[in-house]
Amino acid sequence: NALTNASNGDVIKLTADIAYTTNGSGLINITKSITLDGQGHTISGYGSRSGNKTTMAINNGGANFVEVTLKNLTIVNAGAAGRAIETRGKITSFTMDNCSIQCTGGGNTQPLTIQEPILNFVMMWIILPVHCLQWALRKMIMLLYGLQIFLSGTSHSGLLPR
């Protein structure tokens, strides 16, 4: 697949929607510094990461630091307690531009799960369902305290009082 064959710095463009053929098997895992341009397409379903119903992992088990950009992409996870995007560490930069993340399953859904600190996190035009937005922003702010965060091109820092 294109992710496996990609080199650092490549831009991968989706030409069609992608759906997991069997939920719970396999995992889309980005372990290289790439840009994934969805070109308006959707990735749906979920794989398995340590038993989690995860649609996409960023650097799960990766040995090197990566810089990842997702743009013009919709990610839909309908699993109960599903995770649309899950970061796993050694991430220098993670940018989302014109992306929509949807977790439509029941339970503790997590549209964006940040497991390890990210040195530079940029969100531009990201759309989360209203019921997930407050939770996701609260979690991002708690986990990224002290880092500089960009929301829709506006720089914010020091989001939490000490």
Side-chain angles (χ1 to χ4, degrees), residues 34-72:
I34 62 147
T35 295
L36 178 58
D37 185 348
Q39 299 193 114
H41 292 289
T42 299
I43 298 174
S44 61
Y46 56 87
S48 179
R49 197 214 56 76
S50 298
N52 295 331
K53 297 173 182 172
T54 303
T55 303
M56 179 183 294
I58 308 294
N59 217 25
N60 182 43
N64 300 310
F65 280 90
V66 297
E67 296 180 9
V68 175
T69 298
L70 304 178
K71 62 189 228 179
N72 306 316

Side-chain angles (χ1 to χ4, degrees), residues 78-82 103-109:
C103 285
T104 58
N108 182 19
T109 59

Side-chain angles (χ1 to χ4, degrees), residues 4-125:
T4 303
N5 297 326
S7 297
N8 287 327
D10 281 356
V11 176
I12 298 170
K13 295 183 179 183
L14 295 185
T15 58
D17 293 346
I18 296 174
Y20 279 84
T21 53
T22 305
N23 283 331
S25 66
L27 178 66
I28 296 172
N29 184 24
I30 298 174
T31 59
K32 297 176 184 165
S33 293
I34 62 147
T35 295
L36 178 58
D37 185 348
Q39 299 193 114
H41 292 289
T42 299
I43 298 174
S44 61
Y46 56 87
S48 179
R49 197 214 56 76
S50 298
N52 295 331
K53 297 173 182 172
T54 303
T55 303
M56 179 183 294
I58 308 294
N59 217 25
N60 182 43
N64 300 310
F65 280 90
V66 297
E67 296 180 9
V68 175
T69 298
L70 304 178
K71 62 189 228 179
N72 306 316
L73 180 64
T74 297
I75 298 175
V76 179
N77 184 316
R83 297 176 177 186
I85 299 174
E86 188 171 358
T87 68
R88 301 304 302 169
K90 290 195 175 182
I91 300 169
T92 305
S93 178
F94 181 44
T95 301
M96 299 179 74
D97 185 3
N98 194 31
C99 293
S100 174
I101 304 171
Q102 303 169 20
C103 285
T104 58
N108 182 19
T109 59
Q110 299 177 21
L112 178 59
T113 304
I114 299 173
Q115 296 291 343
E116 301 288 338
I118 298 173
L119 299 179
N120 184 25
F121 184 76
V122 180
M123 286 176 38
M124 297 177 294
W125 298 105

